[in-house]
């Protein structure tokens, strides 16, 4: 099985905020990741798989119960982020929801291989780690098992006892708690990691099916979660632009399309084609990166608006203010105030959780 480079492979940054909210101690959750605790609420860059693993290790030291991650997984099953969530919650049937999920979820959880197939009168949704994650391995496969389990339970009312969960790792000391989370047989020491359900469950109609939303969500999934080559290209382009505008010597200017294409060892035409397949363009990527960088810089209360305008290559502060307001609907000053207010609320919420603990 193809392994991944956890230092280079990236995933959505939403997991930063999710883990910080779950554990209520942002600074300790991101310790050692290179992400500041004050950046969490508005962190805009993708995170690497290595950063995600570091956060999970940190989270485990904060957890008060050994099955804390199953509670987290259950919540993600109810409200999974991104276009994949829209697609599988609006799918016509449980089976079509599973199919779209397994097709597009690798863009959000790239450290697992995903596969769905019929085996006789059963449907098997299988996952396998793409790297050696040591003692984090069980957590990394159990959470997606629970996410898929919660989806099946949401679409198909009634008992889920007819399903089963197969896990390759041995039973942990807290194995007795699994009945509470899965409410179906859990087999440890199995030959694979899989959720197995009766095949006929796939025909269960989704009462929440919305044809217009279903069609739109599929289009969005295809645009944002396209082929691995296209996703990797978009990620690399964003990283190159980020790195360039962050360098003081570049005065906030992004590299040209030809330069980026050369760094990716492809022609400008090929780069344009790959970005177009993801429903975007190089100009749009640069605009979004600049917007994200502006949000990061506004988090530094010591920087003046004019300093940020200079850092992003604007000729004057007025041009930056107009551009920022056009993109986000508020002025940079107002956005900075909102960030400060959100940070205060997050800190107060964390303090209350710690006090209750």
């Amino acid at each position: 099985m193809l392994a991944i480079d956890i230092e280079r492979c990236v995933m959505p940054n939403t997991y930063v905020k999710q883990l910080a909210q779950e554990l209520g101690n942002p600074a300790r959750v991101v310790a050692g990741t290179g992400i500041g605790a004050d950046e969490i609420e508005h962190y805009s860059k993708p995170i690497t798989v290595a950063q995600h693993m570091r956060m999970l290790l940190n989270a485990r030291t904060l957890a008060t119960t050994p099955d804390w991650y199953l509670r987290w997984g259950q919540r993600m099953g109810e409200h999974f982020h991104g276009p994949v969530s829209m697609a599988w919650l609006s799918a016509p049937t449980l089976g079509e929801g599973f199919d779209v999920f397994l097709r597009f979820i690798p863009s959000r959880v790239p450290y697992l291989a995903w596969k769905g197939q019929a085996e006789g009168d059963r449907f098997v949704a299988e996952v396998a780690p793409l790297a050696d994650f040591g003692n984090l391995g069980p957590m990394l496969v159990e959470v997606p098992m629970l996410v898929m389990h919660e989806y099946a339970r949401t679409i198909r009312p009634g008992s889920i006892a007819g399903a089963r969960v197969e896990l390759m790792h041995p039973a942990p000391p807290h194995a007795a708690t699994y009945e509470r989370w899965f409410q179906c047989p859990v087999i440890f020491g199995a030959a694979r990691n899989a959720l197995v359900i009766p095949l006929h469950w796939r025909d269960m109609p989704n009462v929440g099916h919305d044809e217009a939303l279903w069609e739109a969500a599929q289009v969005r999934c295809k645009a944002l979660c396209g082929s691995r080559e296209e996703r990797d290209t978009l990620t690399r382009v964003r990283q190159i632009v980020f790195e360039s505008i962050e360098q003081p010597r570049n005065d906030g200017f992004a590299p040209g399309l030809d330069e980026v294409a050369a760094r990716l060892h492809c022609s400008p035409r090929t780069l344009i084609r790959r970005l177009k397949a993801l429903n975007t363009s190089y100009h749009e990527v640069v605009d979004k990166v600049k917007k994200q960088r502006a949000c990061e810089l506004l988090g530094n209360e010591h920087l003046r608006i004019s300093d940020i305008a200079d850092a992003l290559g604007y000729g004057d502060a007025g041009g930056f203010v107009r551009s920022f307001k056009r993109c986000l609907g508020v002025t940079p000053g107002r956005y900075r105030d909102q960030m400060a207010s959100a940070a205060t609320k997050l800190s107060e919420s964390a303090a209350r959780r710690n006090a209750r603990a």
Side-chain angles (χ1 to χ4, degrees):
M1 184 175 293
L2 181 65
I4 60 168
D5 182 347
I6 65 172
E7 298 290 346
R8 293 180 60 84
C9 187
V10 297
M11 55 193 296
N13 55 40
T14 51
Y15 296 100
V16 179
K17 188 183 299 184
Q18 287 175 345
L19 279 171
Q21 291 174 341
E22 183 70 28
L23 278 303
N25 194 323
R28 286 185 60 184
V29 168
V30 297
T33 65
I35 302 171
D38 58 341
E39 297 180 271
I40 292 176
E41 188 66 23
H42 300 282
Y43 194 73
S44 55
K45 297 180 185 178
I47 61 172
T48 66
V49 172
Q51 286 176 308
H52 183 55
M53 296 304 116
R54 179 70 259 175
M55 285 187 287
L56 289 175
L57 286 170
N58 293 341
R60 193 165 59 182
T61 67
L62 293 168
T64 56
T65 60
D67 60 346
W68 70 271
Y69 59 91
L70 292 174
R71 181 176 62 249
W72 177 50
Q74 189 175 66
R75 274 202 275 271
M76 285 201 292
E78 296 167 352
H79 305 288
F80 206 88
H81 295 276
V84 177
S85 177
M86 292 188 295
W88 81 336
L89 290 176
S90 61
T93 64
L94 185 148
E96 287 168 288
F98 261 114
D99 291 345
V100 76
F101 177 79
L102 293 169
R103 178 182 177 187
F104 293 115
I105 196 60
S107 69
R108 298 188 64 83
V109 187
Y111 51 80
L112 296 175
W114 303 77
K115 182 173 66 174
Q117 60 187 10
E119 293 183 357
D121 62 353
R122 298 277 165 167
F123 175 75
V124 178
E126 187 175 351
V127 301
L130 289 173
D132 181 4
F133 295 110
N135 56 17
L136 282 178
M139 179 193 309
L140 297 179
V141 299
E142 288 176 17
V143 168
M145 289 297 111
L146 192 56
V147 168
M148 292 188 290
H149 167 280
E150 289 301 295
Y151 177 68
R153 195 168 69 166
T154 297
I155 302 300
R156 181 186 175 277
S159 171
I160 198 165
R164 72 173 182 267
V165 174
E166 300 177 0
L167 299 170
M168 296 179 69
H169 52 271
H174 60 283
T177 66
Y178 283 58
E179 181 179 355
R180 168 192 171 194
W181 298 108
F182 289 100
Q183 299 176 20
C184 70
V186 177
I187 302 170
F188 294 98
R192 62 188 174 185
N193 301 303
L195 173 68
V196 183
I197 63 173
L199 188 62
H200 68 268
W201 284 13
R202 287 178 52 88
D203 299 326
M204 175 63 62
N206 176 10
V207 295
H209 170 55
D210 182 311
E211 185 173 357
L213 181 58
W214 166 240
E215 295 297 331
Q218 290 182 90
V219 170
R220 186 157 176 76
C221 281
K222 290 173 183 176
L224 297 182
C225 315
S227 72
R228 187 181 185 94
E229 179 182 53
E230 291 162 349
R231 294 196 308 271
D232 289 349
T233 295
L234 180 57
T235 296
R236 288 290 295 129
V237 170
R238 294 184 68 228
Q239 288 175 332
I240 290 169
V241 174
F242 261 118
E243 291 167 2
S244 179
I245 67 174
E246 286 177 338
Q247 296 297 321
R249 64 176 181 274
N250 292 334
D251 295 325
F253 288 99
L257 174 68
D258 290 355
E259 179 184 343
V260 174
R263 291 183 60 177
L264 295 177
H265 307 291
C266 68
S267 68
R269 180 174 295 181
T270 296
L271 179 55
I272 291 171
R273 174 180 56 78
R274 290 179 183 174
L275 293 175
K276 185 176 181 180
L278 293 170
N279 199 32
T280 189
S281 67
Y282 182 65
H283 178 73
E284 290 179 358
V285 172
V286 171
D287 278 351
K288 288 181 180 179
V289 169
K290 281 200 168 188
K291 179 188 74 175
Q292 292 167 353
R293 181 59 177 157
C295 292
E296 288 180 357
L297 294 174
L298 286 167
N300 184 344
E301 60 183 13
H302 301 296
L303 288 177
R304 297 175 300 178
I305 300 299
S306 58
D307 295 331
I308 297 174
D310 289 341
L312 294 174
Y314 289 91
D316 58 78
F320 167 60
V321 171
R322 289 190 295 273
S323 176
F324 190 90
K325 186 173 182 180
R326 186 170 59 251
C327 288
L328 296 182
V330 295
T331 65
R334 177 58 180 157
Y335 180 83
R336 173 174 272 171
D337 291 341
Q338 291 174 344
M339 286 181 67
S341 176
T344 299
K345 290 179 180 178
L346 183 63
S347 177
E348 292 174 348
S349 177
R352 286 195 294 270
R353 288 196 196 98
N354 290 336
R356 288 196 296 269

